[in-house]
Amino acid sequence: APLRDGITQFSCAACNYSYTETKPASKSVKILAIGNSFSMDAVEHLWGICKNGGAEEIIIANLYIGGCTLDTHWNNIQNNKTAYTYYKTTDGIWKQTASTSLATGLADEDWDIITVQQASGNSGKPETYGNLTNILNYINDHKTNRNAKVYWHMTWAYQTTSHHSNFPDYGNSQMTMYNAIVSTTKNHV
């Protein structure tokens, strides 16, 4: 339970263990994810996490296209395509708007944080990152909050029993895919 700005008391109902934690006192957080189902997973419970952390004004949004690659994001930017479903919450309840452009989502709020991601199947393939710099330059040129931070959303490897069509590209090995994603992120992002 929050005690005061940035100070929260945590306790376990099962064992009665409790501790106090100091968190940065942020009253407002505005986060935009630009991605696909992996970004949907990442933001699904983020509003509640921020609320429990003491934030008062919380705006979380996701520009979503299933399986979207960096090349598709760049093509959408260049052609101002309204190809995204725009999910947004200001109260913990997600609302969606179909047929939204990346430019519209970017301009909707003075975002504090903007994340970008590659499609999971391409995440460990350096040759698929050619348009990342173009995308980042566009975001930095068009974000309405000059102080907004742009972060890379690194996807995760598929589970060992995955039947995803891109898993054979990694020898159907979770560890091979994981190492490829980490290496690509480190060397190309």
Side-chain angles (χ1 to χ4, degrees):
L3 301 175
R4 61 181 184 279
D5 288 350
I7 309 290
T8 303
Q9 177 74 41
F10 294 93
S11 59
C12 175
C15 68
N16 291 325
Y17 173 77
S18 66
Y19 67 97
T20 302
E21 184 175 305
T22 303
K23 300 177 184 178
S26 177
K27 296 290 184 187
S28 171
V29 62
K30 298 177 184 179
I31 300 171
L32 172 65
I34 301 169
N36 52 50
S37 63
F38 279 63
S39 60
M40 290 295 288
D41 290 345
V43 301
E44 180 67 24
H45 300 287
L46 191 54
W47 189 92
I49 292 168
C50 292
K51 183 71 172 172
N52 288 335
E56 293 175 3
E57 178 189 21
I58 307 159
I59 301 172
I60 311 289
N62 187 28
L63 285 164
Y64 165 85
I65 298 175
C68 196
T69 65
L70 291 174
D71 288 343
T72 300
H73 288 309
W74 180 238
N75 181 53
N76 291 343
I77 289 168
Q78 289 180 298
N79 296 294
N80 200 30
K81 287 188 176 181
T82 57
Y84 296 88
T85 301
Y86 185 55
Y87 292 91
K88 183 177 178 181
T89 182
T90 59
D91 59 4
I93 299 169
W94 290 97
K95 294 154 190 78
Q96 70 182 51
T97 305
S99 304
T100 303
S101 70
L102 194 143
T104 298
L106 198 57
D108 186 41
E109 297 284 345
D110 290 330
W111 303 108
D112 300 312
I113 296 170
I114 301 164
T115 67
V116 180
Q117 73 169 96
Q118 174 60 293
S120 60
N122 288 350
S123 291
K125 300 175 185 176
E127 67 276 11
T128 67
Y129 284 70
N131 282 313
L132 179 58
T133 300
N134 295 331
I135 295 166
L136 296 176
N137 287 341
Y138 178 86
I139 291 169
N140 281 314
D141 289 346
H142 292 86
K143 62 188 181 182
T144 57
N145 175 0
R146 294 284 113 212
N147 295 319
K149 303 292 185 202
V150 180
Y151 292 104
W152 180 249
H153 174 163
M154 189 172 84
T155 60
W156 48 91
Y158 302 141
Q159 66 187 35
T160 57
T161 58
S162 175
H163 297 290
H164 193 285
S165 61
N166 290 110
F167 202 32
D169 296 347
Y170 302 96
N172 291 316
S173 167
Q174 184 180 48
M175 189 53 68
T176 299
M177 186 176 186
Y178 170 79
N179 287 331
I181 292 168
V182 170
S183 174
T184 301
T185 301
K186 181 179 177 183
N187 296 315
H188 300 280
V189 179

